[in-house]
Amino acid sequence: MIDKVVVFDIWGDYGYFRRGYTTTSTISYPFPSRTTLAGIVSGILGYDRDSYYDLFGPKNSAFALQIINPIKKMRINLNLIDTKTGFILSDNKGQRTQLPAEFLKDVKYRICLWLDDDSIMDELFTYLSNHKSVYTPYLGISDCLANIKLVKNSFIEPEELLATKEDIKVHSIVPTDKAKIKIEPGKKYGAVKSPSFINAERIVKEFQEFYYEENGDTMLIVDGRYHSIGDMNVIFF
Amino acid sequence: MNRSELVFLYDIAYANPNGDPLDENKPRIDEDVELNIVTDVRLKRTIRDYLHDFKGQGIFVKEIEDENGNIQDAKLRAMDYLIDENGEKVDITDKNLSLSQIKRIMYDNILKECVDVRLFGGTIPLEIKKKGKSSITLTGPVQFRFGRSMHKVEMKHIKGTGAFASSAGKQQKTFREEYILPYSLISFYGAINENAAKKTLMTEEDESLLVEGIWNGTKNLITRSKFGQMPRLLLKVTYSDANYFIGDLDKKIKIEHDLEDDKKLRSVDELQIDVSQLIIALKSDLDKIESISVKFDPAVKFKDSVPIEVDLVEHLVENGLPATKLTI
């Protein structure tokens, strides 16, 4: 039961949410996966690496994500040390490895979070309302330092609604198993599957697929459940 | 140690601040906005090299050759740190020693010896025969965003002749070509996280080394492509309120000039740095700020919000801010 949510924005010059298992090594997701969102929140709260996965399970937590800035990508070629052959810094050929990496730029997302644990919700709210974060927040990798801001100065009680006859405008990304979308002309749609739940060994247990609109525009859903939060409609995942 | 945010401005004239290895070593440019980009890795390299070459500090990420002139790999490099309290090499074939114990010894030694791991963290791969594989992962307390020029830049293509022929028996010297920027004033934003510092055992002394490395490392980097680099402004805001930070401090510093086009900028003399937004932000969070340390190059001119005869530190102090000169 999603009874109250905390809503905050996170943004930065660059973001890099690396996809695993692609034929091209360094493509970024257009928005952070659920596992990344859990990591960002845990960083704000100061939880240690590998200590927080149970807190963000499918039953005791829910996220919704709105893309605020249009998804813009740029290629940054990284000159990495090839650690298979060495931590090498000379110009010897083959000792360094060059990697074209796809970064996102001018990134901004709005994140809604519900946690079953009220005390952690209170703690998170206190941190965000004072603009505090235990660890430095970043978007995907630590080279992409981010800034955060609480959107509303109180918890928001979402109202759960059902889309049946009418088309409903939704502001968040749409999990494909939660609702059907209606294609509108002039919008750029995408679908992406990203990891949602990992176990203590950091092995992905479940992926989820989402529809999103590249410019952060709203999407129409024709069938499915959604939540109304203040002036926006979102679908939790 | 407390949370700090850093802004570092430096410029470069007729040179290449950070070449793109997959694009003819051209300076990195975000084509949409025509801004020059410098990776955080480039700045970290500058700091590492300075701390190693001039301050005699231990650095993990560096090049070491073995007896045969081969360059060490990361796993072998990690083995350098497998020594006990008496300075003796630990016998990894010892059956009583588990992989996690070996990892602990290395972990302790690397953090003790290597200032770069204490500052920037690192991932250190371990592979020991019969005992398996593992790695040490540490997130560094000091992180930088990619640096960006504060103005639009244009790239120039320069051709010349080299001093030597390309191979024996040739009659002519080689041609040489390169891409440079006539001018770029680059702004880096960074954060120092006191909580992550506890994990990597980063000390106040390391912080001083970092600041010195940023300034002097940039100044002393006299390779051909980096000649003409000059540090211009370094600002460190340290907070007294735990876990608090203003964020995006770099966005509050702007430049102005009288030229019709950013791309005509050729020197620091032609621009003024505007710190008025920064001062507003710092003043509104005065109760959360412990100290502000500033170093700037005397060649820098500030916009008329800072009168010419007054220096920036004095100006900040006049605004009620706890600013001091950063001594390096």
Side-chain angles (χ1 to χ4, degrees), chain A residues 31-100:
Chain A
F31 47 83
S33 68
R34 199 183 195 283
T35 50
T36 308
L37 292 172
I40 290 171
V41 172
S42 303
I44 294 169
L45 292 165
Y47 296 147
D48 276 345
R49 191 186 290 275
D50 299 337
S51 72
Y52 55 81
Y53 307 137
D54 292 342
L55 187 64
F56 296 95
K59 295 224 168 60
N60 57 1
S61 68
F63 286 97
L65 181 144
Q66 181 191 5
I67 296 168
I68 296 185
N69 284 0
I71 304 297
K72 282 188 284 183
K73 292 171 178 172
M74 73 178 295
R75 197 185 68 187
I76 293 182
N77 297 320
L78 302 173
N79 202 7
L80 301 179
I81 299 160
D82 186 354
T83 53
K84 284 188 183 125
T85 53
F87 265 51
I88 297 309
L89 307 156
S90 72
D91 293 323
N92 290 359
K93 281 219 171 87
Q95 304 288 13
R96 285 228 190 182
T97 179
Q98 283 87 30
L99 215 61

Side-chain angles (χ1 to χ4, degrees), chain B residues 130-302:
Chain B
K130 291 180 187 160
K131 296 200 168 148
K133 281 188 192 178
S134 186
S135 68
I136 297 169
T137 303
L138 284 162
T139 304
V142 181
Q143 297 298 347
F144 296 100
R145 213 178 242 174
F146 293 145
R148 270 211 295 215
S149 65
M150 301 177 77
H151 53 89
K152 291 183 178 179
V153 294
E154 80 180 322
M155 189 155 57
K156 296 262 191 218
H157 189 200
I158 308 277
K159 286 182 184 172
T161 40
F164 302 102
S166 60
S167 61
K170 294 261 171 75
Q171 300 290 310
Q172 296 204 314
K173 290 184 272 192
T174 55
F175 284 108
R176 180 175 62 70
E177 51 185 317
E178 65 191 314
Y179 294 91
I180 56 107
L181 298 178
Y183 186 70
S184 180
L185 176 65
I186 298 145
S187 161
F188 265 101
Y189 166 73
I192 307 177
N193 187 292
E194 74 285 9
N195 300 303
K198 283 177 204 138
K199 300 238 158 72
T200 66
L201 309 178
M202 178 187 163
T203 61
E204 301 269 350
E205 197 195 339
D206 294 338
E207 192 181 285
S208 311
L209 284 169
L210 169 79
V211 166
E212 184 179 341
I214 295 172
W215 192 271
N216 287 349
T218 301
K219 208 170 181 171
N220 290 342
L221 191 62
I222 313 178
T223 63
R224 198 172 165 284
S225 71
K226 306 289 179 282
F227 188 72
Q229 273 195 177
M230 270 302 278
R232 297 299 184 185
L233 177 72
L234 180 57
L235 177 97
K236 182 163 76 79
V237 178
T238 304
Y239 298 95
S240 50
D241 194 8
N243 298 320
Y244 182 79
F245 68 108
I246 294 176
D248 290 332
L249 280 186
D250 56 326
K251 303 282 186 292
K252 303 185 196 309
I253 301 180
K254 298 201 160 63
I255 62 162
E256 277 188 13
H257 58 77
D258 300 327
L259 305 166
E260 66 210 62
D261 186 353
D262 272 6
K263 294 180 190 169
K264 294 208 157 63
L265 275 171
R266 290 294 179 271
S267 124
V268 73
D269 301 333
E270 293 166 347
L271 58 87
Q272 295 101 43
I273 295 178
D274 180 359
V275 290
S276 49
Q277 291 296 317
L278 178 78
I279 290 174
I280 292 169
L282 293 173
K283 274 168 95 169
S284 70
D285 274 329
L286 188 58
D287 56 329
K288 301 183 181 87
I289 295 170
E290 184 188 81
S291 64
I292 300 167
S293 19
V294 187
K295 184 166 177 74
F296 63 95
D297 182 86
V300 169
K301 288 194 293 254
F302 292 94

Side-chain angles (χ1 to χ4, degrees), chain B residues 63-102:
Chain B
E63 181 187 329
I64 295 176
E65 293 180 4
D66 68 10
E67 300 91 3
N68 305 321
N70 300 317
I71 291 165
Q72 264 190 335
D73 77 8
K75 290 165 199 146
L76 206 58
R77 177 83 181 112
M79 291 302 168
D80 285 354
Y81 294 96
L82 202 51
I83 41 176
D84 63 21
E85 308 90 62
N86 309 320
E88 303 280 325
K89 270 252 177 259
V90 173
D91 180 12
I92 52 166
T93 56
D94 185 345
K95 287 201 180 77
N96 299 321
L97 212 56
S98 70
L99 183 65
S100 64
Q101 281 170 307
I102 291 175

